[in-house]
Amino acid sequence: MTLTELPFRATTAQACHWLAQQTGTSWTLARMIENGLIPYVWLDYDADYPALFGDANGGYPAPIFFEGDTRRLAAGSEDVLITITKDVYRIVTQLKPPGFRRALHELRFLKKDLERLASKLKREAQLESEPESEPVSIETAQESQIGINKEQVLMAFSGLVKIDLEQALGSGGGIFGDDGARVKGSAKRAKNKAVWNPITLALGLNDVYRVPMPHLKRAFNVHDFLHAWATEWNYTLALLGK
């Protein structure tokens, strides 16, 4: 399969075959999920969920990104269970129990996500083959990227910890306070303007709450709002030997 033959929404088999051609290694659904790829399923309009579909009365592709749902898929489940997804307006929505079930063959992967992962893996392979090369300089984050807001923090990390992360963020204590992950001075004018450095936060979650590093790495691959931090995140991990 050539690059031009990769469809806009690829099946699991198509995605694995294309990645195998790009990387020279075999791929499975579990490996794609572990590398941060988000599977989607098409949801036909359901009158029981009018807010979920909005104006998309014909349906829309819903992402499967919640840790519990993706972990189930990676473990080899016989079908797809979606308990949390994003609505047609990309707002995170928790579905009424027991959630939506779909067949495995309905999973799709976006062409742009597959291409981005292939490019990332090729860059990493090139760096590994050039151990004597100079370290890549890290560009200073723009002011608009000094941190992520509370909603984004909860979206990325709340599913990884057993504590009430929302309460911890509001308490201002420990690794979540001004001396830790919260960007100092970001809440001076209004509490809802507070932002957190996701790298400091992720490292703290690993150190204090023993969140596995692979889960944190996946968060930086999965969530669009963390992509701007990915280079600095990977560089930090390299420095720490993680």
Side-chain angles (χ1 to χ4, degrees), residues 17-238:
H17 180 63
W18 185 82
L19 283 171
Q21 287 190 325
Q22 297 295 313
T23 64
T25 58
S26 61
W27 284 80
T28 62
L29 174 59
R31 187 181 177 191
M32 288 195 293
I33 290 175
E34 289 168 0
N35 276 270
L37 286 175
I38 300 177
Y40 290 75
V41 293
W42 182 268
L43 296 182
D44 289 320
Y45 183 81
D46 188 334
D48 291 335
Y49 289 86
L52 188 68
F53 294 87
D55 295 329
N57 52 19
Y60 77 101
I64 306 170
F65 62 88
F66 179 60
E67 181 73 20
D69 297 342
T70 57
R71 188 189 304 117
R72 182 176 180 274
L73 282 175
S77 61
E78 296 181 352
D79 63 0
V80 180
L81 175 62
I82 313 172
T83 59
I84 295 178
T85 187
K86 293 182 182 180
D87 65 16
V88 71
Y89 303 114
R90 298 176 63 83
I91 298 174
V92 176
T93 302
Q94 184 165 3
L95 304 175
K96 291 181 290 188
F100 291 157
R101 287 187 180 273
R102 295 294 186 271
L104 283 176
H105 69 78
E106 296 182 67
L107 289 174
R108 295 293 184 272
F109 292 86
L110 297 185
K111 177 180 179 180
K112 65 176 183 178
D113 292 345
L114 292 166
E115 292 176 337
R116 181 167 56 197
L117 175 59
S119 296
K120 173 178 175 288
L121 294 174
K122 288 176 181 177
R123 287 196 304 271
E124 291 177 351
Q126 183 178 6
L127 289 174
E128 289 179 1
S129 66
E130 300 175 358
E132 301 302 325
S133 60
E134 292 296 323
V136 178
S137 60
I138 305 301
E139 295 182 2
T140 303
Q142 300 175 359
E143 288 188 9
S144 60
Q145 297 172 347
I146 61 171
I148 59 176
N149 60 36
K150 179 180 178 181
E151 180 184 13
Q152 292 170 327
V153 170
L154 296 177
M155 191 184 307
F157 302 115
S158 63
L160 306 181
V161 292
K162 296 180 180 180
I163 65 170
D164 186 336
L165 185 55
E166 183 172 10
Q167 182 180 16
L169 293 175
S171 70
I175 62 171
F176 307 107
D178 283 338
D179 295 327
R182 193 170 72 188
V183 177
K184 192 173 181 63
S186 63
K188 280 185 176 180
R189 295 184 179 180
K191 190 175 181 179
N192 61 2
K193 297 296 183 181
V195 294
W196 286 260
N197 183 299
I199 295 174
T200 305
L201 179 58
L203 293 176
L205 292 175
N206 171 255
D207 183 52
V208 179
Y209 295 102
R210 297 296 185 265
V211 175
M213 192 57 72
H215 294 175
L216 295 167
K217 291 179 179 179
R218 184 176 181 278
F220 280 84
N221 288 328
V222 166
H223 299 285
D224 292 343
F225 53 83
L226 290 179
H227 288 167
W229 298 84
T231 300
E232 186 179 351
W233 164 249
N234 291 327
Y235 182 69
T236 301
L237 294 184

Side-chain angles (χ1 to χ4, degrees), residues 2-19:
T2 64
L3 181 60
T4 56
E5 292 175 342
L6 184 64
F8 178 69
R9 294 192 184 99
T11 65
T12 301
Q14 289 171 329
C16 286
H17 180 63
W18 185 82
L19 283 171

